[in-house]
Amino acid sequence: MKQIKSFTINHDYLKRGMYISRIDGDVITYDLRMKLPNNPEGDYLENNAMHSFEHLFATYVRNSSYANGIIYAGPMGCRTGFYFLTRDSVPGDAAIRLVQDSLRFIAGFSGEIPGAKRQECGNYLAHDLDGAKRMAIEMLPVMEGWTPKMLRYPREVCPD
């Protein structure tokens, strides 16, 4: 089988940040990399915190002024970040702002996690709001000052 694009990225050089992973027609897939891949200390996103972060991130972006251009916001199986898919009607600078605003929203969130009731969620007991808030707080300084020019993977990560 043909190797998929995300497996051609050299994860040994990948740093935290936000990158365009691929463009398929009018769909842009962003790689929101929150942890260093293959970290020898085993520092990965914790499942329950990642689950809460997902609920808050998806809720925030789907309620933004760009809601009609949002396709998906969800975690990577390797637990190093999230995929964020938008239509091209959401320009790169707006996608960056959405992520920055989402991080601030999650960092300051209090109350009931949206969609976390038994009837709404397939694993409603697996949530950690404090962990989700820590994830957002850790990622905020990485994303501050991020620009559309920085959305391209560095050459050592993806030579194409």
Side-chain angles (χ1 to χ4, degrees):
M1 286 195 262
K2 184 178 174 185
Q3 189 174 36
I4 63 172
K5 172 80 173 168
S6 62
F7 296 157
T8 66
I9 302 304
N10 189 335
H11 287 70
D12 288 338
Y13 296 101
L14 190 54
K15 303 292 185 219
R16 297 188 314 151
M18 181 176 172
Y19 308 98
I20 294 174
S21 175
R22 57 184 295 145
I23 299 174
D24 299 286
D26 73 331
V27 177
I28 302 169
T29 300
Y30 292 98
D31 171 343
L32 181 57
R33 196 59 61 149
M34 300 173 76
K35 296 287 185 178
L36 294 176
N38 304 312
N39 188 313
E41 285 85 39
D43 182 26
Y44 297 100
L45 300 175
E46 191 277 322
N47 285 330
N48 292 355
M50 187 169 61
H51 187 197
S52 297
F53 187 99
E54 173 195 17
H55 278 239
L56 292 165
F57 183 29
T59 298
Y60 185 86
V61 297
R62 288 183 176 137
N63 280 280
S64 73
S65 60
Y66 288 100
N68 291 336
I70 305 303
I71 296 171
Y72 176 75
M76 296 176 180
C78 62
R79 296 178 23 227
T80 61
F82 279 72
Y83 288 115
F84 180 40
L85 281 71
T86 69
R87 298 219 179 271
D88 61 9
S89 60
V90 181
D93 60 333
I96 292 168
R97 272 194 315 280
L98 272 172
V99 168
Q100 292 166 334
D101 292 346
S102 295
L103 292 170
R104 285 189 278 275
F105 169 74
I106 295 165
F109 186 83
S110 62
E112 191 174 303
I113 297 167
K117 293 183 178 130
R118 181 182 178 94
Q119 302 83 356
E120 302 167 331
C121 180
N123 196 1
Y124 79 104
L125 295 175
H127 282 280
D128 176 4
L129 178 56
D130 289 337
K133 291 168 81 161
R134 281 191 300 275
M135 286 170 54
I137 290 166
E138 287 176 14
M139 192 62 183
L140 268 167
V142 174
M143 288 303 299
E144 291 301 325
W146 208 264
T147 66
K149 197 175 202 179
M150 298 165 78
L151 290 172
R152 182 171 166 77
Y153 284 119
R155 180 133 335 266
E156 63 273 9
V157 173
C158 183
D160 315 8

